[in-house]
Amino acid sequence: MINISKDMIKSYALENATKHDGKANQGAVLAGLFAEGLEKSDIKEIIPTIKKIIQEVNNMSKSKQRKLLEESAFEISKREIREGLKELPNAKMGKVVMRMAPFPSGPLHIGNVRTMILNDEYVEMYKGKLLIVMDDTIGSDEKRIEPEAYKLIEDAVRWLGINFDKKIIYKSDRLEKYYAYAEEMLKKGYLYVCSCDREIMHDLKSKGIACSCRILPPEIQMERWKKMFNAKVGSMVVRLKTDMLDSDPAFRDRVMFKISDNPHPRTGTKFRVYPSMEFSWGIDDHLLGSTHILRGVDHYMSTRVQNFIRGIFGWENPESIYNGHFAIEGVKISKSGATKKIKSGEYVGWNDPRTWSVQSLRDRGIKKEAIREFILGLGMRKTNITAPVESLYILNRKLLEDAPRYFFVESPTKITISGCPYLIAEIPFHPNGKLGTRKYETTQEFLIPKKDFDLMENGNYRLMHLLNFKSDTINIMSPRTFSFISEEPDNNLKTKFLQWLPATPDNIDVEVMMPDGNIIKGKGEFALAELKVGSIIQFERFGFVRLHKKEKEKLEFWFAHR
Ligand SMILES: [Zn+2]
């Protein structure tokens, strides 16, 4: 049962139309409906209704669209899941400062870009400022900083067209600032250096009992803090004095600094004492002037701790706006898993399609405009979203409508069509006629995909744009024969369409890397030789691909989608 009402479809169509010069886009509307709970299996059933409604909306005047949207917007916002962006609380035009804080453990993937794009849109909306802060204090043994990630993140942000403020900020450059605030807090008794065993401390915290380190006077705390810089890893931590009887045991006296001997990719072994993310942000959101923070719903605790720290200094708190988790149906993303496979050589690199990194999407021919529209279609919401990747492809396909079309035959099998005239076929690169044509000289020998050959039955077939022929066989043991019928398309023949190439040595070896890492091999037409790396084209009856690598004897494409 589909739980999507016509009103809902109409609201999304109106919303999208008003944003795009009066014309709603089916992919964007679908993306919005997925966020409303539309199931992939329902698409077939609901698509005629959606098409009808979009057509209806697109035929309205823009003023009527706006008027109807205003009337229906209540319905959407009531559900707190409306497409597009809600106003930020207490945001003043020109005064909004937001920040994004990638942890450099790998490239940004499709899941990470949601926050990036939402931040970018908000800053644009309020004419504010967006900071990029590499959250690279030290990480942990499970979550290590990957030196290459810095550049990959920066490249992805630039490619996506995220408009950020001048220079990227590195937490690892700011350790001495955190130390200074820590010392001030130690002297005033807000922090203490704890040398208790972790297990024991956990037990004490759960019982609401303070450890003996907590009550030592500030002078001793300062001495212990100085000792910490030469102490053994794990022997001491700095804790924030909260309330040992707080209703949430996890909030009680959390760790603010720890010792690590892991060399840092940027600062090496210069520092050994590192702040927690909570501590650094408690300080930095004040120093950097953040006014609004978009964060995941699992960050309520961080917000509370950071606000507690700012409370000590009497600083104002930024507004935190929470977003549910975002996942893509059928796509498993594991940064640490990908890192291992890249290092072992199983993946071709950080752009391997199986990483779902921004680089991988770019190299497959997914346009940044499609990614942005896909993300915005999902909107802001506290509940978790799982969107099918197909809705991204729908948006991308729309952008690639005018891509030139070429012939490619997967695992080619040669057939000979008897009685076939030698032809010179002039075939346009695109049915719109704007991209010119190329000529094929054909004989009686053609290449067709092995898959199609294996499924052939007795009956009529058409080589796309070229000719009709008959496929025949007397019995299963005798070889299949093919005979020419005619050139012009003929509905009476009830032909099945086949992709083909003339069987000539001019064809080029082509490999296509699929999103699952599989490589499909075949032959492509000679005209492909003129393409430049980065060109996005369509292989007819196969799908959209981007030229990844050109070798003397071979072209390597990466597959975008059908
Ligand atoms: Zn202690």
Side-chain angles (χ1 to χ4, degrees):
M1 183 61 202
I2 301 174
N3 55 350
I4 300 292
S5 68
K6 284 186 182 170
D7 283 347
M8 207 184 275
I9 300 170
K10 197 163 174 178
S11 299
Y12 278 102
L14 287 166
E15 170 107 19
N16 192 254
T18 48
K19 279 199 291 196
H20 294 98
D21 203 32
K23 297 284 169 242
N25 169 282
Q26 184 179 312
V29 173
L30 266 179
L33 296 173
F34 284 127
E36 294 277 5
L38 176 67
E39 300 283 333
K40 209 174 166 184
S41 52
D42 294 335
I43 297 181
K44 216 172 156 187
E45 193 182 327
I46 203 166
I47 209 89
T49 317
I50 295 175
K51 280 193 167 140
K52 211 176 128 215
I53 293 173
I54 288 179
Q55 198 179 13
E56 196 183 302
V57 165
N58 288 355
N59 283 334
M60 292 174 188
S61 68
K62 285 187 219 168
S63 58
K64 186 168 182 199
Q65 288 173 346
R66 270 195 303 276
K67 186 172 167 289
L68 287 180
L69 177 65
E70 275 164 28
E71 286 167 18
S72 75
F74 171 72
E75 272 302 302
I76 307 183
S77 62
K78 199 173 70 182
R79 290 189 195 95
E80 214 197 310
I81 37 184
R82 69 180 270 266
E83 187 198 350
L85 303 178
K86 286 184 281 213
E87 303 251 311
L88 292 175
N90 300 314
K92 292 192 192 76
M93 195 52 84
K95 302 273 183 227
V96 168
V97 179
M98 299 180 80
R99 47 88 164 174
M100 291 180 298
F103 179 75
S105 61
L108 298 176
H109 56 64
I110 178 84
N112 305 134
V113 304
R114 182 179 183 210
T115 330
M116 292 271 165
I117 288 172
L118 289 173
N119 269 295
D120 190 43
E121 291 281 331
Y122 271 124
V123 165
E124 166 78 31
M125 188 164 147
Y126 289 104
K127 307 280 166 253
K129 190 163 84 168
L130 178 59
L131 307 172
I132 293 187
V133 184
M134 292 288 180
D135 220 347
D136 65 337
T137 49
I138 189 65
S140 59
D141 286 341
E142 302 79 49
K143 222 182 156 192
R144 275 178 186 272
I145 298 173
E146 202 54 57
E148 284 169 86
Y150 290 105
K151 182 130 195 346
L152 290 164
I153 292 171
E154 187 175 343
D155 286 348
V157 168
R158 290 191 194 281
W159 180 74
L160 286 165
I162 307 283
N163 216 338
F164 62 94
D165 189 61
K166 287 170 273 170
K167 275 192 31 223
I168 292 179
I169 297 163
Y170 297 86
K171 281 252 185 90
S172 50
D173 286 342
R174 300 169 68 81
L175 288 186
E176 272 147 356
K177 284 191 173 52
Y178 308 131
Y179 293 163
Y181 283 97
E183 285 173 18
E184 193 181 334
M185 289 169 80
L186 282 161
K187 282 177 192 157
K188 290 180 179 165
Y190 294 110
L191 295 177
Y192 64 98
V193 182
C194 176
S195 51
C196 296
D197 178 80
R198 228 174 116 182
E199 298 284 302
I200 293 171
M201 197 56 198
H202 183 79
D203 189 48
L204 286 174
K205 274 172 71 173
S206 67
K207 289 177 181 145
I209 302 168
C211 73
S212 55
C213 323
R214 198 185 204 258
I215 47 164
L216 296 171
E219 314 85 74
I220 310 278
Q221 300 294 359
M222 279 305 287
E223 271 171 33
R224 287 162 67 96
W225 164 255
K226 292 205 171 98
K227 269 188 205 151
M228 190 169 158
F229 286 78
N230 296 305
K232 240 175 61 209
V233 172
S235 65
M236 292 168 129
V237 294
V238 172
R239 292 184 182 275
L240 178 65
K241 260 187 220 174
T242 56
D243 179 355
M244 266 307 195
L245 295 172
D246 190 89
S247 58
D248 183 355
F251 183 69
R252 296 171 191 167
D253 290 23
R254 286 168 80 83
V255 172
M256 295 290 111
F257 284 87
K258 65 172 184 185
I259 306 168
S260 171
D261 274 334
N262 288 343
H264 191 285
R266 293 186 72 249
T267 54
T269 51
K270 188 175 170 196
F271 301 103
R272 292 186 75 230
V273 174
Y274 289 94
S276 68
M277 294 219 178
E278 291 168 350
F279 185 85
S280 59
W281 279 118
I283 304 296
D284 270 343
D285 275 323
H286 168 73
L287 296 183
L288 302 173
S290 311
T291 61
H292 295 79
I293 305 168
L294 302 186
R295 45 185 19 165
V297 283
D298 49 350
H299 278 75
Y300 286 108
M301 176 59 83
S302 314
T303 307
R304 196 175 164 208
V305 176
Q306 290 161 27
N307 289 354
F308 187 89
I309 294 169
R310 284 186 288 264
I312 291 169
F313 292 100
W315 295 335
E316 250 178 80
N317 289 322
E319 298 276 355
S320 287
I321 299 103
Y322 297 93
N323 237 337
H325 283 289
F326 162 54
I328 297 192
E329 195 183 279
V331 173
K332 239 199 204 148
I333 300 172
S334 158
K335 256 189 201 175
S336 52
T339 306
K340 264 186 221 138
K341 286 174 178 162
I342 289 160
K343 290 189 173 163
S344 74
E346 189 183 336
Y347 284 4
V348 296
W350 296 104
N351 59 345
D352 189 288
R354 289 160 288 187
T355 63
W356 290 87
S357 66
V358 171
Q359 278 80 2
S360 78
L361 295 171
R362 178 198 64 200
D363 290 356
R364 283 174 53 195
I366 309 290
K367 302 270 215 173
K368 59 183 176 184
E369 294 84 359
I371 296 176
R372 189 172 286 250
E373 201 170 343
F374 172 64
I375 295 295
L376 292 177
L378 302 171
M380 285 276 294
R381 40 159 50 214
K382 279 184 198 165
T383 42
N384 297 342
I385 308 178
T386 303
V389 72
E390 187 54 32
S391 51
L392 171 64
Y393 296 162
I394 290 172
L395 294 165
N396 202 58
R397 211 173 281 130
K398 178 104 184 126
L399 295 172
L400 299 180
E401 248 168 14
D402 296 328
R405 301 177 185 184
Y406 288 84
F407 283 15
F408 163 71
V409 170
E410 175 182 349
S411 310
T413 299
K414 189 154 90 181
I415 60 169
T416 304
I417 301 177
S418 62
C420 181
Y422 285 48
L423 298 168
I424 298 178
E426 190 169 1
I427 299 172
F429 281 111
H430 195 281
N432 68 16
K434 289 179 196 158
L435 301 177
T437 61
R438 75 286 207 193
K439 280 183 184 152
Y440 282 109
E441 288 183 33
T442 62
T443 62
Q444 296 188 332
E445 292 185 331
F446 298 91
L447 302 178
I448 63 167
K450 182 174 183 300
K451 258 197 290 199
D452 291 336
F453 179 83
D454 290 345
L455 292 171
M456 265 187 157
E457 293 163 351
N458 293 350
N460 299 332
Y461 287 85
R462 177 166 179 78
L463 299 180
M464 297 272 297
H465 313 293
L466 193 72
L467 59 83
N468 307 310
F469 69 95
K470 191 178 166 141
S471 155
D472 225 345
T473 181
I474 302 156
N475 61 52
I476 201 157
M477 302 302 286
S478 59
R480 191 163 279 286
T481 60
F482 309 99
S483 50
F484 176 76
I485 306 174
S486 58
E487 283 184 45
E488 293 305 311
D490 184 345
N491 282 339
N492 296 327
L493 290 173
K494 296 197 167 48
T495 52
K496 288 187 190 125
F497 290 87
L498 290 176
Q499 188 52 56
W500 59 276
L501 280 170
T504 118
D506 289 345
N507 294 322
I508 304 175
D509 280 327
V510 165
E511 285 187 7
V512 184
M513 161 89 99
M514 302 305 284
D516 62 2
N518 252 330
I519 290 171
I520 289 180
K521 293 183 182 181
K523 292 278 186 191
E525 63 174 282
F526 186 68
L528 290 168
E530 286 158 25
L531 291 177
K532 289 195 185 80
V533 168
S535 305
I536 303 171
I537 60 162
Q538 186 179 7
F539 280 149
E540 292 214 39
R541 301 181 70 74
F542 183 81
F544 291 90
V545 293
R546 180 180 177 278
L547 181 54
H548 187 72
K549 203 152 93 195
K550 256 179 127 163
E551 282 170 26
K552 211 165 158 229
E553 304 286 322
K554 187 180 83 183
L555 297 178
E556 184 186 328
F557 292 87
W558 283 18
F559 188 78
H561 44 72
R562 286 203 65 84

